[in-house]
Amino acid sequence: MADSQNKKDLAVARTKITFDVKDMTNHIYGGSTNVEHRRHIIDLIAKEPVFNKDDWAWLNHSDAVKRGVAMSTRLAEIMIEHDLDDLDFAILTEVIDDTIPILQHNSLFLPVIKSQGTDEQIQRWVPPAEKFQIIGCYAQTELGHGSNLSRLETTATFIPETDEWEIDSTTFTAAKWWIGGLGVLATHAVVQARLVLRGKDYGAHVFIVPLRSLDDHKHLPGIEIGDIGPKAYNGFSKMDNGFARFNKCRIPRENMLMRFSKVSRDGVYTKPPHAKLSYGSMVFLRSVLIRHMALYFSRATTVATRYLTVRRQFNNPTSRNDSALNPTLETQVINYPMVQNRLFPMIAQSYAFFAGGSQMTSMYFNLLSGLSSGNVEALAEVHAMSSALKAYATTFAAAGIEECRKLMGGHGFSYFSGLSHLFASAVPSNTYEGDNFVLTQQMARYLLKEIKTARSATPERVTPFSKYLLLGLNKSALSRTTSSVTGAEDWLKPEVQLAAFEHRCARLAFELSDAVDQGGLDLENPKTWSDHNIECYRISHAHAQYVLVLWFIQSIHDAIAEGSADPATIKVLERLSHLHALHTIQTNLADFVEDAYLSPSQCQSLRAQVKALVTSLADDAIGLVDAFDHPDFLLNSALGANDGDAYKRLWDKAQTEPLNQKVVCDGYEEYIRPLLKKHGDIKL
Amino acid sequence: MADSQNKKDLAVARTKITFDVKDMTNHIYGGSTNVEHRRHIIDLIAKEPVFNKDDWAWLNHSDAVKRGVAMSTRLAEIMIEHDLDDLDFAILTEVIDDTIPILQHNSLFLPVIKSQGTDEQIQRWVPPAEKFQIIGCYAQTELGHGSNLSRLETTATFIPETDEWEIDSTTFTAAKWWIGGLGVLATHAVVQARLVLRGKDYGAHVFIVPLRSLDDHKHLPGIEIGDIGPKAYNGFSKMDNGFARFNKCRIPRENMLMRFSKVSRDGVYTKPPHAKLSYGSMVFLRSVLIRHMALYFSRATTVATRYLTVRRQFNNPTSRNDSALNPTLETQVINYPMVQNRLFPMIAQSYAFFAGGSQMTSMYFNLLSGLSSGNVEALAEVHAMSSALKAYATTFAAAGIEECRKLMGGHGFSYFSGLSHLFASAVPSNTYEGDNFVLTQQMARYLLKEIKTARSATPERVTPFSKYLLLGLNKSALSRTTSSVTGAEDWLKPEVQLAAFEHRCARLAFELSDAVDQGGLDLENPKTWSDHNIECYRISHAHAQYVLVLWFIQSIHDAIAEGSADPATIKVLERLSHLHALHTIQTNLADFVEDAYLSPSQCQSLRAQVKALVTSLADDAIGLVDAFDHPDFLLNSALGANDGDAYKRLWDKAQTEPLNQKVVCDGYEEYIRPLLKKHGDIKL
């Protein structure tokens, strides 16, 4: 194949785009100011040698952590030099493209002190932390315990004689574990430990514990400390996830963060006024994860779309085949319907995650401003929504990245595809900030409460995103409901799409409610909540999908209303929104047909419409991923670079492999030659 | 938590097993002789220091390849020392637990010469290869081409003057790429290249090309050669997947393997008598992959089941909760219904893959003996079946391993869980030996031919596993068919289960056939084969699932008939078989309801029955995975070891992390201290 064919293929594909890519980019990021600011931050990082990614592929965990440390300290300097704030920090973490030891200093250590410290404590700890005179981490998880705070084994026992806390890990399962920054970098930790006062256990509280000497960085007496070792898929390799075990370490009483709970000099414990106030930070972390997933997932679809545009394999005699014009060329892989039907719904889903990420973040900030004026009404819904969306989006995005990698065939398995690093960075989100399966119970619990409201004298008090529950009040009517679709074109009506999702959510929620009320379906054992967790999982995902469909549709309505996007942009967004909604139904079809809501012929017209929508996006696929505006530095993919020169880049990257710097490999004299020569020389 | 609790939990779980684990192991591996032989080979490897896995986690690609070379040469010696054959080699590759440079010497280089070389060529090349005086690889894939043999760019041009071939790669996309063993080890390659004779292109043929000097291992003149770099997820890290580019390299005419096609001294080309004869090796490689997947996947379910038995988290007030007896203990995670409903169907699937692997291998060997007596009748069916099963089993197993990892929560993301290495080893099987999506076309094509037979005057000639096609001859009868299930217990009848799968396969096959015949469903463009590939994918997976359900059922019938397993073993196998069949229906429910084959109430009773079956396996889960008989050496998992001592092992592994051998990390003086001290010393 001619060496320049790759680049030519991508250039030709770009001539067919039906909308203005810049306009789409502005729509995705909420305006050109945001787009430029993101680019500015990216450039800030991309130009620094320490953030260069060229040798990442060769680093083992020790080398990678050392690099992570170098990246950490430079990041700290950049934040001070450019006076960057928390929102910039979010972009920085995207751009750096790996977890590094200092991240939790800004994302957990400082926020916890600011939110749970008294004014004096904030004054004492925050300024040196902001100047990086101390570097902190957040130590909650233990070897034996993760989410179950009440069963943490680390204790903080008050010693009245010296006005101190004694931090202790009795067994090694009490060791703090997984703590980012703890392995080699942090000088201090915010430690979650059970507060023990005169023999009484008051549950988990937070304490600032010095870990390493500020003079020589050696760990302090009584603390066993280290790195927990490499992670799956070489993920988080630059992060020093660490462990710490405390052997009766003493800290002053004032090192307990006392904005809410307090312990006085004479050992009197005061309870916090609002137990739920600490929800805020969890809700925030989960809310921003939706946007993170949009960023991650859209990088994967960008790489796959570009590579599949330049990869040619076999011959497909369709009208779209330019090998009709040039018979020496094979078909571009992206022109195969099977490939389009796998890839384009993922592009649509990326757009849905961007729309959902914006909405979820606004919801969170609305909640915050409400809370600050004492309004806690929205807390329960936002908490449930962020849980359901986090569980769904992180599951989908990680699996989708791997699907993009597999779509790229053999070369997708090269490290240089860039997607394995992306998967390894994204997939732990399925587990952290609440395991995705456990988390789905939050939405289910919330909906059960909402069903009570729907059945009460004031059903109008059902919260906006649960209004569909009103459909289920008349059970027999619900079970008789069928979709109004009569032909394939009906599937393109947003109200038809939403009705399907609402019906499904209502049915699943009431089935759960009935099962809980009646004490069971068919099983013999007495029912408990955990016996319903499969149904919780189903309804939570159903709700998340409904909300994402709704928000994607609304975001287009808003853009039309505000006149913030070109008509051509709107047109392709509408196709994406249709594809997102209908492909989600198709993927979860059983939920829509097992109660006969959809008929056999409606299922057929749905499948036909999905296929037609996919086909309609063929000319725009490359523009849709270009619009995500991910520069080559961020993608770090030989196969997905902006110029399309995939084979050349893959070739060039291989030449840099350290093994290739030697003509004869290490181990030849020791292993290979003795084997070859064992039976004497041979001439062939 | 008391340090010994983990071990106690596993020991207690084992007291509840209802069957004899050894009897089950014998059933899985087809008798105690096989079990002992496998153990013997495992011990052979486990006792050799070079195969020790303790430091695998720290190796970068260069270190790993050097280790791979050391493992390779020792493996070669062991094969000679113990006079091991090809079947032993299959066990060896399982036990070594990683791809290493020498593997393709035995699995491809030698078999290709033996099957495609003339008797003289075999006599010349095989003895030195078997003594490892030369070491070979198999070079087919190129940077620009994978499966499409006819478009390979490497050429072998006949030079009559010197009676030689000139092997040439005109552009770098013609470079051989991904070739295992090529990067650093191989001295020779079997190269696929297009044969060019007097300007005419005769398509791909195989040639033996010397790569490296037998004197000093330097690559020969005119060959650019090297390693292609690291792979995704740190997979295949010890394998020197390599590239080679040939610049008009000359080899003697006799280096073309000429059992089938021949070129004489005077440049006359003779065609092969049977073009399809080379199918055999592909069919074999795909057939054995089913068994490989059983071995891989069962390792993942073993690790997950053991860890989740000893991991305790939160409190679940059910009757199975031993925290009722000991209130200081939390609930074993495996006792949560959600966990059981995710894990136990995967255990059942592992058993189904073992049963399917045996059947597929027998089918292949029956084919072989048929072929040797000139009977090619079974070739098409075995080819299609091995394609469909390979596509389904490798997809399912890789995804299932990752699902097991996620089931294990936070610690599942540690390298020491062992499952990330397993996933990285298993997932490339989704792409190699035929991309799983492309491969599904084989079964679809086969079924379309079988439909013609079914519609012919001799419908009885439909092959055994396609008999369900006869159901589709009366289209309206097929569309009116519904399941006979009237209550949950009916789902436990194998004939009911099989009827459901047969109905689904028949419907999907005839829908595809109609679409192909009629030129399309609803789309505007003229139909081509590739427009039907989504439907091909569906019918191929449907057929694979049907056959696996059928074979699992049959394997139990056979065991009963032969009296080869205890009644208690049979009983639990029947539950597994039910769960496998019904969970497969549940997971693919849309296919069974979108034509109203199942009614809403049948769907409900199906779900209830799946739940009940899961519950019924709770006491046996640990026995079912113990029966896979995977020793700790093979599992290489801190969390899944046989003694259950998960936390202790995780702790101990972390202590061996190289980073922890230093009190203060590399980079402190260079990076950390300057940052901490920038604003002067601080006292807190």
Side-chain angles (χ1 to χ4, degrees), chain A residues 1 3 58 60-61 69-70 73 124-125 128 132-134 143-146 148 151 153 171-173 175 177-178 184-185 214-217 224 226-233 243 311 313-314 316-317 328 330 337-338 341-342 402 405-406 409-411 413-416 420 423 427-428 430-431 437 522 528 530-531 533-535 538 589-590 593-594 600 607-608 611 647-648 651 654-655 657 659-660 664-665 668 671-673 676-677 679-680 682 684, chain B residues 1 3 58 60-61 69-70 73 124-125 128 132-134 143-146 148 151 153 171-173 175 177-178 184-185 214-217 224 226-233 243 311 313-314 316-317 328 330 337-338 341-342 402 405-406 409-411 413-416 420 423 427-428 430-431 437 522 528 530-531 533-535 538 589-590 593-594 600 607-608 611 647-648 651 655 657 659-660 664-665 668 671-673 676-677 679-680 682 684:
Chain A
M1 179 187 276
D3 293 355
W58 338 121
N60 63 20
H61 183 48
V69 165
T73 56
R124 180 177 171 213
W125 294 101
F132 300 99
Q133 292 176 290
I134 61 172
L143 183 52
H145 285 91
N148 192 2
R151 296 297 292 261
E153 292 183 64
T171 67
F172 70 86
T173 56
W177 204 264
W178 278 109
V184 308
L185 180 65
L214 292 174
D215 292 328
D216 58 14
H217 213 61
E224 262 184 287
D227 183 286
I228 66 162
K231 271 76 67 175
Y233 311 134
F243 64 84
R311 174 78 172 173
Q313 204 74 185
F314 290 103
N316 177 31
T328 68
E330 292 164 276
M338 183 85 219
N341 277 275
R342 292 165 71 194
E402 166 65 7
R405 190 192 65 69
K406 284 200 281 203
H411 293 329
F413 192 58
S414 167
Y415 175 89
F416 303 130
S420 70
F423 177 81
V427 76
N430 290 204
T431 309
F437 279 81
D522 265 326
T528 69
S530 73
D531 286 322
N533 287 354
I534 303 163
E535 288 74 28
R538 288 179 74 195
L589 193 59
V593 289
E594 67 178 338
R607 289 190 191 275
K611 270 186 159 186
Y647 293 144
K648 180 71 166 52
W651 173 272
Q655 308 313 312
E657 159 66 49
L659 281 172
N660 296 337
V664 174
C665 66
Y668 169 66
Y671 306 115
I672 301 175
R673 190 177 167 84
L676 290 171
K677 298 300 179 191
H679 298 272
I682 184 175
L684 278 163
Chain B
M1 181 188 274
D3 294 355
W58 338 121
N60 64 19
H61 184 48
V69 166
T73 55
R124 180 175 170 215
W125 293 102
F132 301 99
Q133 292 176 291
I134 61 172
L143 183 52
H145 284 92
N148 192 2
R151 296 297 291 262
E153 292 184 63
T171 67
F172 69 85
T173 56
W177 204 264
W178 277 110
V184 307
L185 180 66
L214 292 176
D215 291 329
D216 58 13
H217 213 59
E224 263 185 286
D227 183 286
I228 65 163
K231 272 75 66 175
Y233 311 134
F243 64 83
R311 174 78 170 172
Q313 205 75 184
F314 290 104
N316 176 32
T328 68
E330 292 163 277
M338 184 85 219
N341 276 275
R342 292 166 70 194
E402 166 65 5
R405 191 193 63 69
K406 285 201 281 203
H411 293 330
F413 193 58
S414 167
Y415 174 90
F416 303 130
S420 70
F423 177 81
V427 77
N430 291 203
T431 308
F437 279 82
D522 265 324
T528 68
S530 73
D531 286 322
N533 287 353
I534 303 164
E535 289 73 29
R538 288 179 75 193
L589 193 59
V593 289
E594 67 178 338
R607 288 190 192 275
K611 271 187 160 187
Y647 293 144
K648 179 70 167 52
W651 173 272
Q655 307 314 311
E657 159 67 50
L659 280 172
N660 296 338
V664 174
C665 66
Y668 170 67
Y671 306 114
I672 301 175
R673 191 177 168 83
L676 289 171
K677 298 300 179 191
H679 298 273
I682 184 174
L684 278 162

Side-chain angles (χ1 to χ4, degrees), chain B residues 361-390:
Chain B
T361 317
S362 320
M363 250 185 122
Y364 171 74
F365 284 113
N366 289 340
L367 169 70
L368 264 201
S369 68
L371 286 179
S372 69
S373 53
N375 181 355
V376 297
E377 218 171 74
L379 184 60
E381 180 166 37
V382 180
H383 172 67
M385 292 273 269
S386 65
S387 299
L389 282 164
K390 183 270 182 185

Side-chain angles (χ1 to χ4, degrees), chain B residues 231-540:
Chain B
K231 272 75 66 175
Y233 311 134
N234 214 16
F236 286 14
S237 68
K238 294 172 196 71
M239 179 61 103
D240 58 336
N241 296 90
F243 64 83
R245 194 172 165 189
F246 304 100
N247 182 16
K248 303 191 191 304
C249 296
R250 294 289 181 95
I251 56 169
R253 181 175 53 88
E254 300 85 43
N255 279 25
M256 172 183 165
L257 292 177
M258 298 208 204
R259 174 167 291 270
F260 304 113
S261 309
K262 297 179 211 303
V263 171
S264 65
R265 175 63 193 95
D266 49 352
V268 176
Y269 179 84
T270 317
K271 269 209 293 196
H274 295 297
K276 280 193 172 171
L277 277 173
S278 59
Y279 261 170
S281 66
M282 282 194 306
V283 172
F284 176 69
L285 289 171
R286 287 175 194 151
S287 299
V288 294
L289 267 175
I290 320 303
R291 190 186 158 74
H292 272 316
M293 292 303 122
L295 289 163
Y296 277 139
F297 191 36
S298 59
R299 278 164 59 186
T301 52
T302 301
V303 169
T305 304
R306 287 180 181 165
Y307 174 63
L308 295 171
T309 300
V310 305
R311 174 78 170 172
R312 291 171 175 272
Q313 205 75 184
F314 290 104
N315 222 308
N316 176 32
T318 69
S319 53
R320 292 186 50 80
N321 183 12
D322 58 2
S323 60
L325 304 172
N326 181 350
T328 68
L329 291 176
E330 292 163 277
T331 300
Q332 287 165 274
V333 172
I334 203 164
N335 284 341
Y336 288 99
M338 184 85 219
V339 169
Q340 296 181 348
N341 276 275
R342 292 166 70 194
L343 179 61
F344 296 175
M346 293 198 280
I347 297 177
Q349 188 71 48
S350 304
Y351 276 83
F353 284 145
F354 271 108
S358 300
Q359 285 294 328
M360 193 67 240
T361 317
S362 320
M363 250 185 122
Y364 171 74
F365 284 113
N366 289 340
L367 169 70
L368 264 201
S369 68
L371 286 179
S372 69
S373 53
N375 181 355
V376 297
E377 218 171 74
L379 184 60
E381 180 166 37
V382 180
H383 172 67
M385 292 273 269
S386 65
S387 299
L389 282 164
K390 183 270 182 185
Y392 178 66
T394 58
T395 301
F396 195 106
I401 292 166
E402 166 65 5
E403 180 67 8
C404 284
R405 191 193 63 69
K406 285 201 281 203
L407 254 169
M408 301 200 296
H411 293 330
F413 193 58
S414 167
Y415 174 90
F416 303 130
S417 75
L419 295 200
S420 70
H421 173 71
L422 199 59
F423 177 81
S425 302
V427 77
S429 65
N430 291 203
T431 308
Y432 65 60
E433 309 305 343
D435 177 275
N436 280 357
F437 279 82
V438 178
L439 212 50
T440 57
Q441 296 173 39
Q442 305 299 333
M443 176 49 77
R445 278 210 179 86
Y446 176 72
L447 288 174
L448 291 180
K449 279 184 204 155
E450 288 290 295
I451 284 180
K452 283 198 182 123
T453 307
R455 283 171 167 159
S456 74
T458 53
E460 71 280 4
R461 296 184 62 185
V462 167
T463 49
F465 299 106
S466 319
K467 287 280 183 245
Y468 59 71
L469 291 173
L470 301 175
L471 296 172
L473 292 177
N474 183 337
K475 201 171 162 179
S476 70
L478 183 72
S479 74
R480 286 192 311 272
T481 308
T482 56
S483 170
S484 65
V485 167
T486 58
E489 70 287 352
D490 288 336
W491 281 115
L492 300 183
K493 297 174 183 161
E495 63 275 18
V496 165
Q497 298 162 3
L498 289 170
F501 282 97
E502 287 164 355
H503 172 82
R504 172 205 195 195
C505 285
R507 175 175 74 86
L508 292 177
F510 276 88
E511 278 182 11
L512 171 64
S513 169
D514 290 350
V516 170
D517 289 349
Q518 294 159 20
L521 299 159
D522 265 324
L523 300 180
E524 292 152 31
N525 295 332
K527 290 279 113 182
T528 68
W529 175 247
S530 73
D531 286 322
H532 298 297
N533 287 353
I534 303 164
E535 289 73 29
C536 293
Y537 184 80
R538 288 179 75 193
I539 179 63
S540 177

